């Protein structure tokens, strides 16, 4: 009976093999079919040893004459064949016996590897080999080399893949019109070529993954992602949520009395969010904007719309510093309107916590602002209508789900709206693939008066000049940050620690008030230091990246980032955005230690040349891949195995378009396609 793609191609008596394959993510025939080669070796033609090009692996064949164990310069197996010597520095007795038997029987050795010149002429060291007779045919296709694991030989994998393709080749999931529209190969044809390419195949295209067979596989992967997200998007439109008005009395008073003018981009984002909040199905929107673009005021407007309608809102931030920053801003803006702000974080007093929890549980229309404490079991929201997650990539998908579930009302089948925010702009290709299930609002302009921060690259050997610059800035009434990458000694050894740097700077700059803040300090102590810095009682603040987000001190105009070459592009851009927020020009000094690696030099060059967070994000994606931007969003939905978000942007656009068309024309085919690629792994990512 012909096997099915979902069947396992090994029996119960081969559990050892099954365990090894499982480590590679292979459990079925279909998994084997999509376990694609890393590269290929050409065993379809023989090369004479004397004509082998240097440094290039080739297949050679020669008659075995004798085999012996040489003891100098070290113990090794030496096989003499016609015009060729094979050397094995590590060998088994069985190999020696096999080659001696081959010499007696007049067999040929067929060896694959690099040929080099040796004492006896052409030789190969540790080639892949096998013994053959003169009439043994050559391979008809290129030989695939697969990703593997310990104890699983390439030969075994090749046999299993060939068996899977022969017995249970994956069925076609895409309708013919769709394949024709995007000029796609059939999936069976594509997989057969990738596993068994003919000698005349375009090897450069195979290596670069631009061959039509690769294009089909990558398109399918991107399409599965798009379908998974769009299915979730459509399913969300069938759920119910509180319909919040966008024109309540509190909101009208607030917008009418704002002491500053909103930018056009802020007004556009507010209009999009309020329109969503007025719908009877749950909003799932991402608000992204560069550092200092004014996202917080947009979030405050959204939360006020919930309170205006008699509901509750929650704002979850990844750090106490950012949560406290939001609490102060929201209180400054909304407390005059009589709106209650309930803070909830890990280190507040018991009395404060009890009062906040009581307000949430009794249904009072409040805005709760806090850290992970918002999703603890004790936090019970009676009427949560809006969940805001700031710096969303710093939270896992389970944490974002936990906050949203705080507002589920089973009796009314209601879900809260969700607004995610990010000051790390998400590259367009990433938004198009991993964020296809959300609507996106972009704040793409800075408030009036905000000027780009000047960036300076300074070698660590010029540290004295940097200290002089700090003295001058502080003497002029300005404030400065000195950012260090670690708190204490680590394996990195040569890095300046924040503790040591604070002590050293306090000694070198005795005339200045120098303080230290880092992530391991108690929340109350961190808040006290930050409050003193904001009040101007501290002139120089030594800090770790705990100040990367949520810090807004208008008098801070100078930042020194020590060992800047060790930071990522997104981090450097975020840190730089902490200064120059009060109308004065800001200067960010990137202090680096020479010599720089090529990658570090490129990162520093990019952040020096550009102040556009979206451009920096796109270039960072090309350098480092998507993990930095996704955080834990990919839990349940793995990062792409085959497609490249930069090189394959046109394919991603086509897959996005095709997903909508396929869902409309053939929902069952769409479901089969998602099942093939994701199974149940996409549930969390689609939540």
């Amino acid at each position: 009976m012909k096997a099915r793609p979902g069947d396992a191609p090994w029996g119960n008596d081969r559990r050892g093999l099954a365990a090894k394959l499982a480590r590679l993510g292979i459990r079925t025939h279909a998994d084997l079919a999509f376990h694609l080669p890393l590269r290929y070796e050409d065993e379809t033609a023989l090369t004479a040893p004397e004509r082998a090009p240097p440094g290039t692996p080739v297949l050679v064949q020669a008659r075995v004459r004798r085999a012996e164990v040489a003891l100098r310069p070290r113990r090794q197996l030496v096989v003499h064949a016609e015009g060729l010597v094979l050397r094995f520095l590590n060998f088994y007795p069985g190999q020696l016996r096999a080659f001696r038997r081959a010499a007696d029987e007049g067999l040929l050795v067929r060896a694959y590897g690099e040929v080099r010149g040796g004492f006896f002429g052409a030789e190969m060291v540790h080639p892949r080999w096998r013994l053959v007779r003169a009439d043994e045919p050559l391979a008809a296709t290129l030989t695939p080399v697969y990703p593997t694991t310990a104890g699983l030989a390439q030969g075994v994998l090749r046999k299993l893949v060939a068996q899977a393709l022969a017995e249970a080749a994956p069925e076609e999931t895409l309708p013919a019109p769709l394949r024709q529209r995007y000029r796609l190969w059939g999936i069976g044809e594509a997989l057969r070529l990738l596993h068994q390419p003919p000698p005349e195949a375009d090897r450069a295209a195979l290596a670069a993954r631009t061959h039509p067979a690769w294009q089909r596989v990558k398109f399918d992967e991107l399409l599965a992602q798009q379908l998974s997200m769009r299915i979730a998007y459509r399913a969300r439109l069938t759920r119910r949520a509180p319909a919040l008005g966008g024109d309540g009395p509190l909101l009208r008073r607030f917008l009418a009395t704002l002491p500053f003018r909103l930018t056009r981009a802020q007004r556009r984002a507010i209009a999009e969010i309020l329109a969503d909040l007025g719908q009877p199905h749950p909003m799932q929107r991402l608000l992204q904007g560069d550092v200092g673009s004014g996202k917080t005021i947009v979030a405050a407007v959204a939360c006020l719309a919930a309170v205006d309608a008699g509901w509750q809102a929650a704002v979850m931030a990844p750090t106490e510093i950012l949560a406290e920053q939001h609490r102060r801003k929201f209180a400054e803006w909304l407390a005059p309107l009589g709106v209650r702000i309930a803070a909830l974080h890990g280190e507040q007093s018991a009395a404060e916590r009890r009062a906040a929890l009581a307000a949430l549980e009794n249904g009072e229309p409040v805005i709760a602002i806090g850290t992970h404490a918002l999703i603890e079991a004790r936090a019970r929201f009676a009427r949560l209508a809006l969940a805001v997650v700031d710096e969303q990539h710093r939270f896992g998908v389970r944490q974002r789900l936990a906050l949203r579930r705080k507002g589920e009302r089973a009796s009314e089948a209601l879900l809260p709206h969700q607004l995610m925010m990010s000051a790390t702009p998400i590259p367009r290709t990433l938004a198009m693939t991993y964020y296809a299930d959300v609507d996106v609002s972009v704040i793409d302009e800075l408030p009036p008066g905000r000027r780009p921060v000047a960036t300076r690259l300074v070698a660590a050997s010029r540290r004295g000049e940097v200290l002089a610059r700090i003295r001058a800035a502080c003497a002029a009434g300005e404030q400065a940050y000195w950012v260090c990458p670690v708190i204490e000694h680590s394996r990195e050894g040569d890095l300046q620690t924040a503790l040591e740097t604070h002590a050293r700077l306090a000694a070198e700059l005795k005339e200045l008030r120098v303080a230290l803040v880092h992530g391991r300090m108690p929340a109350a102590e961190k808040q006290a230091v930050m409050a003193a810095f904001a009040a101007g009682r501290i002139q120089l603040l030594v800090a770790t990246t705990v100040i990367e987000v949520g810090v807004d001190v208008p008098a801070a105009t100078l930042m020194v980032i020590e060992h800047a070459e060790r930071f990522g592009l997104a981090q450097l851009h975020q840190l730089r955005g902490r200064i120059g927020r009060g109308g004065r020009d800001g200067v960010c000094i990137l202090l680096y230690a020479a010599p720089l690696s090529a990658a570090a030099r490129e990162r520093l060059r990019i952040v020096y040349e550009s102040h556009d967070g979206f451009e920096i994000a796109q270039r960072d994606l090309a350098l480092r891949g998507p993990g930095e931007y996704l955080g834990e969003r990919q839990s349940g939905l793995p990062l792409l195995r085959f497609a490249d978000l930069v090189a394959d942007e046109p394919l991603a656009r086509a897959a996005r378009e095709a997903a909508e068309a396929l869902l409309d024309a053939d929902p069952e085919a769409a479901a089969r396609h998602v099942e093939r690629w994701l199974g149940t792994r996409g549930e969390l990512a689609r939540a």
Side-chain angles (χ1 to χ4, degrees), residues 209 215 218 222 429 642-653:
R209 297 191 171 187
Q215 295 295 96
K218 292 194 286 187
L222 289 163
T429 49
F642 305 124
D644 180 288
L645 288 181
V646 176
D648 296 317
E649 182 175 352
L651 269 184
R653 292 186 183 281

Side-chain angles (χ1 to χ4, degrees), residues 50-113:
E50 66 276 10
R51 295 183 180 177
T56 301
V58 294
L59 183 68
V60 301
Q61 180 173 288
R63 193 170 301 279
V64 179
R65 293 305 187 192
R66 70 179 190 277
E68 60 191 11
V69 176
L71 300 179
R72 292 181 181 179
R74 57 173 290 186
R75 189 172 186 272
Q76 57 185 290
L77 171 61
V78 180
V79 179
H80 296 269
E82 291 178 344
L84 182 67
V85 171
L86 309 181
R87 294 184 183 277
F88 299 90
L89 305 181
N90 298 295
F91 63 94
Y92 298 101
Q95 289 175 275
L96 175 61
R97 291 194 296 270
F99 278 116
R100 284 179 170 171
R101 185 171 61 252
D104 293 340
E105 297 177 6
L107 295 179
L108 304 171
V109 62
R110 195 170 282 173
Y112 184 87

